[in-house]
Each structure stands twice: as C-alpha cells, then as structure tokens.
C-alpha cells in the first residue's frame, strides 16, 4: 500500500530526473554530444554521476532523452495554438510564425538538432518515441492543409511531408546559420528587421507553393 513517504520519494525522484534533463539539455546544446561531460551535467543539476546513471543508464540514453524532451516541448507548445480552420491561409501563417518564434525562443532546440545532424541521427533512430512525436507535429499541419483543399484554396496534390519540410527548412536554416551567413553577406541576420523580413518572405513562399491558382496562372 502506498504511504505518504513513498509519494514524497516518487516526487523527489521525478524532480531529480527533471533537473538532470534540464542540465543535460543546456550542456549538450553548448558542448555537443561528444563534448558534453557527465560531470558537468551533474554539477549543473546539483546531483551526482551515480544518479545520472541510475535514471538514464549511460550518456547516450541521456542524450536520447534530451532529444525526446525537446521535441515533446515543441509539440506541447504547438498544441496550445488554436488554428481557425475557416481561414486556412491565416492558420498556416500562424503555424509558420509559431515555428519561427519557437526557434528564436529556444536556441537549444537548434543546437541539439545540429549536433544530432552531425551524428547522422544515430541517436534519434534508437528512440521509439520520436516516431509518435513526429506524428503529432504533422497532425497539426494536416487539418490546415485539408481545410484549405476543401475550400479550394490549396492545391489538391499538396504533399504534407513536403510542406512540413519546406516550413522547417525556411525557419530552421536561417537560425542555424545566421552567424556565418551574416558574416559572409555582411548583414546582421539577428536584427529584428532582418528576422521580420525573412518571416514574411517564408510565409509568402509557402503559400505560393500551396495556392490553387486558376488555370493559366500556374
């Protein structure tokens, strides 16, 4: 039978695990997977190495949990959005703007994905949870596309995966490369004006690709 003490211990364990994940997210986003040290994560989490290995077994499993956590955090934030399907164009703009601003507000998301890209998604492929998480992400886009198709606003041959990739690439590439590209082009890509200009351009490009134009105007 559960006791008050067992409930307290479970809560403390949950809090310890959450602190470790938060610290690991910060360390891996700064130092990458190879450079991220368990000792550094322990200090930041105000825990110890033994507790990390108790909850996550090894460094790779900890990194996989961080990956799952950042995707789950993104999906949770997106699920709080309310898209007006009677206005699919406005809803799609809202979705693109959400993705764009989420990347700005969560630079660790970009950093950790960059790290996983360097490792050719070797950790992601070991996570059974990421498939479900990706389904949630597509599940927010699909109703908008279907509503636009039903109204004749969007083309009938739209590929949901292509649209998702287009939105992700237009938002992700800018943020993941803004510093070297800004130096190369001599432009401050982190300035509010540059960001607002690119966001408007990204929305325009996605909508141009989806719109159901009259015959002869395609």
């Amino acid at each position: 039978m559960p006791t008050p003490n067992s409930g307290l211990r479970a809560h403390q364990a949950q809090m310890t695990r959450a602190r470790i994940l938060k610290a690991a997210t910060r360390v891996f986003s700064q130092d990458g997977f190879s450079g991220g040290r368990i000792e550094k994560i322990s200090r930041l989490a105000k825990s110890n190495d033994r507790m990390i290995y108790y909850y996550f077994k090894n460094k790779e499993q900890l990194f996989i949990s961080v990956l799952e956590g950042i995707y789950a955090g993104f999906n949770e934030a997106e699920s709080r959005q309310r898209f007006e399907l009677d206005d699919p164009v406005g809803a799609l703009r809202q979705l693109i703007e959400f993705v764009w601003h989420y990347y700005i507000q969560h630079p660790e998301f970009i950093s950790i994905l960059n790290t996983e890209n360097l490792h050719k998604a070797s950790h992601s492929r070991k996570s059974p949870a990421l498939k479900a998480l990706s389904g949630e992400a597509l599940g927010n886009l699909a109703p908008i596309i279907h509503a636009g198709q039903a109204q004749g606003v969007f083309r009938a041959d739209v590929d949901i995966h292509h649209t998702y990739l287009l939105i992700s690439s237009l938002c992700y590439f800018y943020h993941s490369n803004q510093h070297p590209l800004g130096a190369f082009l001599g432009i401050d890509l982190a300035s509010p004006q540059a960001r607002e200009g690119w966001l408007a351009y990204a929305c325009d490009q996605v909508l141009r690709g989806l719109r159901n134009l009259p015959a002869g105007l395609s």
Side-chain angles (χ1 to χ4, degrees):
M1 177 181 294
T3 66
N5 284 339
S6 64
L8 177 61
R9 286 194 297 271
H11 176 70
Q12 290 173 336
Q14 185 179 23
M15 295 299 291
T16 299
R17 190 179 188 279
R19 285 202 312 274
I20 292 171
L21 270 178
K22 183 177 180 181
T25 300
R26 180 175 172 182
V27 171
F28 286 137
S29 69
Q30 293 173 344
D31 303 335
F33 174 74
S34 300
R37 295 286 179 262
I38 291 294
E39 298 83 0
K40 185 175 180 179
I41 295 170
S42 296
R43 289 195 303 271
L44 191 60
K46 295 181 172 58
S47 183
N48 56 65
D49 298 359
R50 181 177 59 83
M51 294 304 294
I52 290 179
Y53 292 120
Y54 173 78
Y55 286 113
F56 300 99
K57 295 184 180 179
N58 54 50
K59 179 179 171 181
E60 181 180 55
Q61 288 301 316
L62 176 57
F63 186 74
I64 290 172
S65 294
V66 166
L67 277 171
E68 293 170 349
I70 63 170
Y71 275 112
F74 177 90
N75 286 355
E76 182 182 351
E78 189 176 46
S79 71
R80 293 195 293 269
Q81 300 288 307
R82 293 295 176 263
F83 301 108
E84 181 51 67
L85 297 183
D86 288 340
D87 177 17
V89 171
L92 189 60
R93 285 187 183 277
Q94 180 186 339
L95 177 61
I96 298 168
E97 289 170 0
F98 162 80
V99 174
W100 175 261
H101 290 298
Y102 191 90
Y103 288 168
I104 293 175
Q105 295 161 5
H106 298 273
E108 73 281 358
F109 192 91
I110 300 292
S111 298
I112 290 172
L113 291 186
N114 284 345
T115 292
E116 183 63 352
N117 190 49
L118 288 173
H119 288 267
K120 299 182 180 179
S122 60
H123 307 99
S124 299
R125 293 192 179 94
K126 297 177 182 179
S127 168
L130 285 187
K131 182 70 173 178
L133 290 170
S134 69
E136 290 180 29
L138 291 170
N140 288 307
L141 174 62
I144 298 174
I145 300 301
H146 295 157
Q149 291 172 326
Q151 295 179 28
V153 177
F154 297 153
R155 300 192 338 256
D157 62 346
V158 170
D159 186 297
I160 300 292
H161 288 92
H162 288 173
T163 305
Y164 184 85
L165 286 170
L166 180 59
I167 294 170
S168 296
S169 61
L170 287 169
C171 295
Y172 175 85
F173 181 83
Y174 186 103
H175 292 301
S176 65
N177 293 276
Q178 65 179 328
H179 300 299
L181 276 178
F184 179 72
L185 297 173
I187 301 172
D188 181 9
L189 294 178
S191 71
Q193 296 83 358
R195 285 177 169 176
E196 290 170 9
W198 183 259
L199 174 57
Y201 179 80
C203 289
D204 179 70
Q205 290 302 302
V206 174
L207 287 168
R208 282 175 183 266
L210 298 182
R211 284 190 184 277
N212 189 18
L213 298 177
L217 295 181
S218 57

